[in-house]
Amino acid sequence: MKELLFNLPDGRTLFIREPAIQKMLGYQQSNENDCEAGGILIGRILIENNHFIIDEVSEPYPTDTRKRHRFIRSQKGHQEYFNALWEEYEGRCFYLGEWHTHPEKVPLPSTVDRRGWRENLSLLYETDSLFFIIVGTEKIKVWYGKCGTGEIACMEGGWENERKTSKKTI
Amino acid sequence: MVLCQTQFISFHEAIKLKEENEELASKREIILKRLRDCMPEEAKSFDVFTQGSYAMNTGIKPLDGDFDIDVGLWFDMSREDAGPVEAKEWVFKALEGHTKDVKMKTPCVTVTYAAGYHVDVTVYSATNENCKVYLAKGKTTSKREEKYWDESNPKDLIKEIRDHLTDKDDRRQFRRVVRYLKRWKDVNFKSATGKPSGIALTSCVYHWLDIQKDIDLFNGKVTYRDLDALISLIRSMISRFQTVYEVEGGELVSYPRINVELPVSPWPNLFELMTNKQMVTFKEKLECLLDALEEAKAKSDPTDACEILRKQFGDDFPVPPRPMTGKRSVAPAVLPSTESA
Ligand SMILES: [Zn+2]
């Protein structure tokens, strides 16, 4: 099962459920002409312990700009998607951050990415943390951002593509 | 790591046999009236008291709806005043014909109602020179050595279990854990024989439960961790099994066995009657329960954990829809547009 679990610096955890991971993996830039993709992260803040769970992600809309090395996510589409889930779950879901793809094995955030994350963290949300996921061709990496202070930290672990090992054995 | 305390509390509410259960109270009254009206003349005078798990605050609803009502008759007499089966015959005579199914069993007289419940009436000799109380054992057809007065004081037992632990919230966790374990037993032991008795499990919790709670240092708020309480209890029970050896067909065969004492005099071992094979099954089921409890605890999503717990505790254990385990936000977030490279 593809699930991801990360420990936050404050003792809480981030858990990413399989359906969300599968959706993002569907946009890996494995081929030379695949464009960047992205969307928003939607999930729960648990009543019992305040831990985070990402249940859903949005996928690219035609209103987004998709290039080999750039992804511009418009508000349109993603906002409607979020609102619909929010209604369905009677408010029991939160906007928890952003994801996008990179055409590199082990992804590292670009200057544009970091600037965007910092700007996002300065906005006002009901959650005290946001997460930023980059899907590489061999690895998924997750960064944790603190709202207000704008602190960003890379989280240990992440998912590794099984293809890497299978290629070696061939 | 999740605790699912909310779901454990709902589960407890669903299985708890409430003392004020009117249905049971009225059923009890019917049989008490019959006993008072029809007791034969030669019988000594008696008092009635409520016994059984609901008197101890550890009763659970039966799975099959077959309620078990316990009535104790406290006869004002010594062991020398009447034989145990003689005294039970008074009760049998009083109840005979009350329903089509009245039976004398070794520890009681049982009246079964077509409506699907039964009443166990037990007979005690309550006025003895040594201040002890004795339960009448045996049937009319039993051999002489199987008819005897057996030391057993249900009032002491009820008091001991009811008043166990001084802190009232600790006591609540104790009662909840007893009820969880009893429901687990009803779900996991389908055949009529070989299951541990309710009082044996209650005594395990009485002796070995290590109360699990967190106290908030800032506001003093206490949070109970029933899942952790169960994990530590079951682990402790498993560790108390000891190996015994039996010669079977010329070979030495080993079996695990556990003993647990009734918390009051004469402190009998309540697992005594379980056979070695039944003990093997009991231990395997406890190990299976412990695995499930630990697996549930390791989950990150309470819904996944509850699905595992439900397999052990049955359909009364709630599995919340995923969104219900999350906090409610005040308004939908207003998304920015973002740029990545
Ligand atoms: Zn990027």
Side-chain angles (χ1 to χ4, degrees):
Chain A
M1 191 147 26
K2 290 188 181 96
E3 293 174 342
L4 287 176
L5 182 64
F6 298 94
N7 295 309
L8 272 54
D10 62 7
R12 288 184 290 176
T13 61
L14 166 70
F15 179 64
I16 311 177
R17 288 185 52 228
E18 185 173 14
I21 293 174
Q22 292 295 10
K23 253 191 200 177
M24 293 186 284
L25 285 178
Y27 291 94
Q28 273 183 313
Q29 292 177 271
S30 320
N31 300 317
E32 265 173 42
N33 42 10
D34 287 343
C35 290
E36 276 195 19
I40 62 164
L41 310 175
I42 304 163
R44 281 170 280 165
I45 300 173
L46 292 181
I47 296 169
E48 75 161 80
N49 54 17
N50 281 322
H51 291 211
F52 296 96
I53 295 183
I54 292 172
D55 291 298
E56 295 281 354
V57 298
S58 67
E59 294 168 86
Y61 282 88
T63 40
D64 300 334
T65 305
R66 298 183 61 186
K67 298 266 172 61
R68 178 68 182 163
H69 290 283
R70 191 152 301 244
F71 178 72
I72 300 173
R73 183 183 64 66
S74 64
Q75 188 197 31
K76 218 173 146 34
H78 301 273
Q79 181 75 61
E80 282 77 39
Y81 178 73
F82 178 73
N83 290 356
L85 283 179
W86 195 87
E87 290 291 331
E88 187 186 337
Y89 298 153
E90 292 169 333
R92 294 182 190 277
C93 68
F94 293 80
Y95 165 68
L96 291 179
E98 302 276 337
W99 71 275
H100 73 282
T101 61
H102 271 193
E104 59 183 335
K105 289 179 184 171
V106 180
L108 280 174
S110 64
T111 322
V112 178
D113 292 341
R114 287 203 173 264
R115 193 191 324 128
W117 297 351
R118 270 198 305 275
E119 276 170 17
N120 202 346
L121 286 168
S122 70
L123 301 174
L124 208 61
Y125 297 112
E126 285 185 56
T127 170
D128 59 10
S129 314
L130 289 180
F131 301 93
F132 304 103
I133 298 177
I134 306 181
V135 180
T137 56
E138 283 181 2
K139 214 167 157 62
I140 293 181
K141 298 278 281 178
V142 183
W143 285 263
Y144 159 77
K146 232 172 129 79
C147 296
T149 69
E151 273 172 72
I152 292 167
C154 178
M155 296 206 285
E156 286 304 312
W159 178 79
E160 278 196 50
N161 207 337
E162 290 133 357
R163 255 184 307 166
K164 191 174 134 194
T165 43
S166 59
K167 252 184 192 167
K168 271 183 190 164
T169 53
I170 287 168
Chain B
M1 299 262 272
V2 290
L3 291 171
C4 303
Q5 186 65 9
T6 312
Q7 289 76 30
F8 268 107
I9 297 296
S10 314
F11 174 49
H12 181 248
E13 282 306 310
I15 62 174
K16 181 182 173 186
L17 189 60
K18 293 168 187 74
E19 269 187 289
E20 65 274 15
N21 193 314
E22 275 178 37
E23 203 189 350
L24 292 191
S26 70
K27 285 169 178 171
R28 250 172 64 79
E29 274 318 307
I30 294 168
I31 201 142
L32 292 183
K33 184 170 185 308
R34 172 82 186 199
L35 282 165
R36 286 191 198 100
D37 294 349
C38 306
M39 193 63 83
E41 265 175 40
E42 65 267 29
K44 305 280 179 193
S45 64
F46 66 93
D47 273 335
V48 178
F49 71 99
T50 305
Q51 62 170 8
S53 60
Y54 67 113
M56 293 187 261
N57 269 325
T58 55
I60 58 163
K61 292 176 188 163
L63 273 181
D64 48 11
D66 182 12
F67 280 93
D68 169 1
I69 302 173
D70 290 298
V71 172
L73 300 184
W74 213 244
F75 281 90
D76 181 16
M77 63 179 188
S78 76
R79 285 166 294 165
E80 284 75 37
D81 292 337
V85 173
E86 184 188 345
K88 286 175 79 178
E89 274 162 354
W90 303 333
V91 172
F92 185 78
K93 273 182 202 160
L95 296 172
E96 203 178 7
H98 180 51
T99 74
K100 279 183 191 161
D101 188 357
V102 180
K103 275 198 192 85
M104 196 187 294
K105 295 182 180 173
T106 303
C108 58
V109 175
T110 300
V111 181
T112 305
Y113 290 81
Y117 66 100
H118 67 272
V119 182
D120 290 331
V121 184
T122 42
V123 173
Y124 294 92
S125 148
T127 318
N128 287 286
E129 72 299 339
N130 60 4
C131 299
K132 289 184 173 172
V133 176
Y134 294 86
L135 167 68
K137 285 258 183 101
K139 297 185 272 194
T140 310
T141 54
S142 300
K143 289 180 219 140
R144 182 186 284 260
E145 63 270 26
E146 284 162 357
K147 299 176 182 177
Y148 57 100
W149 286 109
D150 192 18
E151 188 194 335
S152 163
N153 190 331
K155 287 187 183 176
D156 284 355
L157 178 63
I158 289 166
K159 196 174 174 329
E160 193 61 39
I161 300 288
R162 232 190 146 101
D163 299 348
H164 181 52
L165 301 176
T166 45
D167 183 292
K168 69 177 194 333
D169 291 320
D170 287 359
R171 190 182 289 169
R172 286 192 180 123
Q173 184 175 56
F174 162 69
R175 290 172 184 166
R176 288 196 301 273
V177 171
V178 169
R179 288 185 173 111
Y180 301 152
L181 214 52
K182 284 166 71 173
R183 176 52 69 89
W184 168 80
K185 176 208 39 158
D186 288 346
V187 169
N188 290 275
F189 292 80
K190 291 296 180 198
S191 67
T193 57
K195 44 176 125 178
S197 69
I199 188 62
L201 293 178
T202 305
S203 301
C204 290
V205 185
Y206 173 94
H207 292 297
W208 304 320
L209 174 69
D210 189 6
I211 292 292
Q212 300 287 321
K213 60 181 172 184
D214 288 322
I215 303 166
D216 191 303
L217 292 175
F218 295 102
N219 57 24
K221 196 173 171 273
V222 181
T223 322
Y224 280 82
R225 292 183 271 115
D226 291 1
L227 178 56
D228 283 340
L230 278 165
I231 289 175
S232 90
L233 172 70
I234 305 303
R235 220 181 258 157
S236 167
M237 283 174 72
I238 291 170
S239 75
R240 278 162 212 277
F241 276 82
Q242 290 183 328
T243 309
V244 297
Y245 296 92
E246 304 278 348
V247 180
E248 285 175 11
E251 286 201 37
L252 212 52
V253 185
S254 67
Y255 291 100
R257 285 201 76 93
I258 183 175
N259 297 339
V260 70
E261 280 180 358
L262 186 76
V264 295
S265 176
W267 301 282
N269 168 20
L270 299 168
F271 288 130
E272 185 87 67
L273 292 179
M274 280 176 78
T275 66
N276 287 335
K277 293 217 164 63
Q278 288 166 350
M279 274 284 166
V280 170
T281 310
F282 180 38
K283 183 163 184 264
E284 281 168 1
K285 286 187 193 289
L286 284 173
E287 284 162 345
C288 192
L289 172 60
L290 181 60
D291 286 348
L293 294 169
E294 287 177 336
E295 194 192 342
K297 189 177 175 181
K299 288 285 171 195
S300 298
D301 193 329
T303 301
D304 294 335
C306 289
E307 269 163 12
I308 294 166
L309 295 170
R310 190 192 191 97
K311 285 190 190 123
Q312 290 293 320
F313 294 110
D315 292 345
D316 280 322
F317 199 95
V319 177
R322 291 183 202 279
M324 294 308 289
T325 63
K327 291 189 170 179
R328 206 173 213 143
S329 71
V330 178
V334 178
L335 306 183
S337 62
T338 56
E339 183 171 3
S340 323

